[in-house]
Amino acid sequence: MKVTPTSNSRISDIDFSNLQFGRIFSDHMLEMTYKDGTWSEPDIKPYGPITVEPSLHALHYGQAIFEGMKAYYAGPGTINLFRLDDHHERLNNSAKRLCMPELSSDNFIRGLEELIKLDHQWVPKTFGHALYLRPFMFASEHYIAAKASSEYKFFIITSPVAAYYSEGFNPVKLTTSEKFVRAVRGGTGEAKAAGNYAGSFLPARDARENGFTQVLWLDALEQKYVEEVGTMNIFFLIDDKLVTPKLAGTVLPGITRRSVTALAKEWGTDVEERRISIDEIFEAHNNGSLKEVFGAGTAAVISPVGLIHHKGETITLNQNEIGPFAKKMFDRLTGIQYGKTEDTFDWTHPVHVGNEITV
Ligand SMILES: Cc1ncc(COP(=O)(O)O)c(C=O)c1O
């Protein structure tokens, strides 16, 4: 691996008390190039512009995928990465679906470790804050033909982010969409493909204009079964059972979702991964068995849902607070990520960076 440290760090210009998600990037990035059937060695260098031509394949045909992870400050000298193997596996699954080359686990893991070592001062120390890690791959051939590119670029860039809940838990308001769907079986819904997000922006804007936070996606065929939310998987606590839509090709297999189901099982909670209709949710609310609803994802961690709107009807829950189950889940999950509670699952991957972290 080639490493070229910057001679001009930007860190002293950054106001770590006022971080906006995804706007500030740390000093270094990792770059790899795929050409003639093989990946180059990772090249870590100062973050900066890249040169492309207007004929860049990804801009025309959307062969682009990404991952979203976080590095957590776990006390002096330790930065925790979380479930690296799962993120690597999902990246490769997305690559396969989009007809792109897979990446070795060694390059992914060692690349992230080296990047963190170099930019460890960019990992915010405050609990709840983190260094967001964005690995991504795109078709880099300069060729406008509707077939898979033969060249690709892989990058990892990183961005310090504040706690999602700097002003307390703020339950989200969800609405289903009668007009749009996110994914259909056989499509790209279970891949972390850039185009999935492009298609969701218009429905998300419509939802916001109507006073909701995000869209609660229903299945594309019958518009009846709940799937997921913008960048979160969804969970329902019905009586004392935790229910979440099963992964059947249209839902993104969230790493947080996997962690939540494992933790719930550890506590002895029954977990059901199955089809769940929006009507069942409304019925459970009406008969008093729907105790809590929450979303789970890397960015939002555990996010309480305060309201669901569907075809003119609305149900409300825990409107101004987080429910006790979701709070317990938030505490246990972040406890593991920030190294405050024992990681009985071996999910964290500590990177040791020396004692001096000054941010
Ligand atoms: C569509 C979608 N669903 C669910 C999730 C949650 O996945 P994870 O827990 O791996 O962040 C994300 C975020 O990556 C997402 O973009």
Side-chain angles (χ1 to χ4, degrees):
M1 183 170 325
K2 188 171 157 215
V3 180
T4 313
T6 181
S7 53
N8 191 14
S9 173
R10 288 174 282 107
I11 198 161
S12 56
D13 301 338
I14 309 300
D15 178 2
F16 276 81
S17 62
N18 186 21
L19 295 170
Q20 274 183 33
F21 190 95
R23 292 248 180 229
I24 294 166
F25 299 98
S26 63
D27 280 331
H28 298 92
M29 63 183 186
L30 177 146
E31 179 177 357
M32 290 172 69
T33 304
Y34 181 89
K35 212 175 170 175
D36 300 327
T38 48
W39 281 108
S40 66
E41 277 294 292
D43 183 6
I44 295 183
K45 54 184 167 184
Y47 177 90
I50 56 172
T51 305
V52 297
E53 293 178 24
S55 57
L56 184 84
H57 189 288
L59 297 178
H60 299 267
Y61 303 106
Q63 256 191 312
I65 56 171
F66 66 99
E67 270 302 311
M69 320 164 57
K70 281 177 178 169
Y72 306 88
Y73 179 76
T78 306
I79 307 295
N80 276 346
L81 297 173
F82 189 67
R83 304 198 72 163
L84 276 187
D85 293 335
D86 299 80
H87 282 283
H88 172 251
E89 187 187 11
R90 189 171 67 185
L91 178 80
N92 277 348
N93 287 340
S94 300
K96 277 185 253 175
R97 177 61 186 85
L98 274 284
C99 200
M100 299 166 87
E102 292 175 52
L103 203 79
S104 79
S105 134
D106 189 50
N107 279 335
F108 185 77
I109 292 174
R110 274 197 317 126
L112 278 165
E113 283 175 345
E114 285 307 314
L115 210 49
I116 295 298
K117 283 184 188 158
L118 209 54
D119 278 341
H120 67 86
Q121 300 211 13
W122 288 81
V123 182
K125 262 182 165 175
T126 312
F127 176 72
H129 296 217
L131 187 67
Y132 184 78
L133 313 172
R134 170 53 63 88
F136 62 103
M137 191 194 297
F138 60 89
S140 57
E141 203 171 352
H142 292 123
Y143 178 40
I144 48 167
K147 62 180 201 158
S149 173
S150 63
E151 293 172 17
Y152 296 88
K153 285 280 187 188
F154 174 72
F155 282 87
I156 305 176
I157 57 174
T158 72
S159 170
V161 294
Y164 206 76
Y165 302 106
S166 43
E167 285 149 27
F169 291 100
N170 192 8
V172 294
K173 298 177 180 167
L174 304 179
T175 180
T176 59
S177 170
E178 290 183 47
K179 197 167 162 192
F180 299 108
V181 296
R182 177 186 174 275
V184 68
R185 224 172 18 251
T188 58
E190 66 180 345
K192 216 160 159 54
N196 292 345
Y197 298 82
S200 72
F201 296 154
L202 175 65
R205 190 182 67 189
D206 287 355
R208 276 198 304 279
E209 282 173 1
N210 287 304
F212 304 103
T213 328
Q214 288 189 48
V215 176
L216 174 61
W217 296 111
L218 300 181
D219 76 280
L221 296 182
E222 295 176 70
Q223 294 245 281
K224 194 171 160 190
Y225 297 98
V226 173
E227 301 225 305
E228 62 181 313
V229 180
T231 57
M232 301 190 293
N233 295 106
I234 188 129
F235 286 87
F236 303 94
L237 189 68
I238 302 179
D239 288 324
D240 49 7
K241 280 199 188 93
L242 190 63
V243 184
T244 193
K246 72 173 179 186
L247 304 175
T250 53
V251 171
L252 189 87
I255 311 299
T256 321
R257 175 189 183 280
R258 201 178 288 183
S259 309
V260 165
T261 51
L263 289 171
K265 285 177 189 165
E266 185 192 48
W267 299 336
T269 307
D270 278 344
V271 179
E272 292 181 355
E273 298 184 42
R274 62 171 170 85
R275 293 224 289 188
I276 178 162
S277 71
I278 187 74
D279 292 344
E280 179 183 343
I281 300 303
F282 274 59
E283 262 164 50
H285 178 263
N286 293 339
N287 70 26
S289 59
L290 183 65
K291 306 293 184 216
E292 293 183 35
V293 182
F294 60 90
T298 300
V301 196
I302 300 295
S303 180
V305 172
L307 179 153
I308 302 176
H309 174 267
H310 173 63
K311 288 192 175 164
E313 281 185 55
T314 299
I315 57 173
T316 57
L317 319 98
N318 293 310
Q319 261 196 309
N320 300 309
E321 57 186 38
I322 183 166
F325 187 92
K327 179 66 169 63
K328 185 175 163 193
M329 189 58 78
F330 177 87
D331 289 343
R332 177 79 172 107
L333 186 63
T334 54
I336 294 174
Q337 290 166 335
Y338 289 85
K340 290 176 188 289
T341 51
E342 202 195 339
D343 175 11
T344 42
F345 293 91
D346 208 14
W347 285 336
T348 49
H349 182 102
V351 179
H352 299 292
V353 294
N355 289 327
E356 278 308 300
I357 296 182
T358 53
V359 174

